[in-house]
Amino acid sequence: MTIMRSCLRCLHFLGLAAFLGSILGHVLTGALVEPGSAAFAWAQETKHATTRWLTVPGLLLTLLTGIALAVRTPQLLRSRWLRIKMGLALLVTLNATLILLPLGARLAAGTEEAEPLLTGEAVFGACNLLMIALVIVLAVARPRLAKTGGPLPSQA
């Protein structure tokens, strides 16, 4: 393994750790405060700051280093599991950047419509967690996916 590949892998896992760690912090912070409580505004500001400075940068770092690692290993680019994984990672990043980050900004600004925004944050956040869980399963299992609509090779 080359030094460049090792550095890319370290950065890739660092980005994943920043993303997953910040998500755990969001869940815990959200569970500890009630809307309307004195700590609610602080919690929303904290969640927004971690989304802005940890979650989204962690996702971008993971996505970019993942692309760089894949490009450095051309035979991997032919793998359907990797293309699905990269597509899901892109969707997670777009969801966090275009939906969750603006929702968090509105919550941190102390808007009066906190309940529907919290619901949206919970739904889109859960979608991201499910997609990232699938990305991790694909990365670990590296399944052989059929090229056509037929059965998977292990089922033939």
Side-chain angles (χ1 to χ4, degrees):
M1 188 179 318
T2 67
I3 297 283
M4 175 63 88
R5 182 166 170 78
S6 295
C7 288
L8 285 171
R9 286 181 62 151
C10 284
L11 289 172
H12 190 69
F13 287 113
L14 182 64
L16 184 61
F19 167 71
L20 290 176
S22 66
I23 296 302
L24 294 174
H26 292 179
V27 171
L28 182 61
T29 302
L32 292 176
V33 297
E34 291 291 322
S37 70
F40 182 75
W42 172 84
Q44 296 312 311
E45 289 172 14
T46 301
K47 286 169 56 177
H48 180 60
T50 58
T51 300
R52 190 174 188 182
W53 300 110
L54 286 174
T55 308
V56 172
L59 280 169
L60 290 172
L61 181 61
T62 304
L63 183 67
L64 295 175
T65 56
I67 291 169
L69 285 164
V71 168
R72 294 181 58 81
T73 314
Q75 68 269 23
L76 273 180
L77 287 175
R78 291 187 288 262
S79 304
R80 285 183 182 265
W81 68 266
L82 181 66
R83 286 186 266 151
I84 292 169
K85 176 185 162 194
M86 291 172 74
L88 284 169
L90 179 60
L91 286 175
V92 168
T93 305
L94 290 173
N95 184 21
T97 305
L98 301 176
I99 296 173
L100 290 169
L101 192 59
L103 275 173
R106 289 175 61 197
L107 282 164
T111 182
E112 296 297 320
E113 55 190 49
E115 281 299 324
L117 293 177
L118 287 171
T119 300
E121 183 184 52
V123 169
F124 287 103
C127 288
N128 259 12
L129 282 177
L130 290 174
M131 286 189 287
I132 206 67
L134 184 54
V135 165
I136 292 169
V137 167
L138 288 169
V140 172
R142 296 182 178 198
R144 294 178 192 226
L145 303 174
K147 291 185 180 188
T148 63
L152 295 176
S154 63
Q155 296 171 340

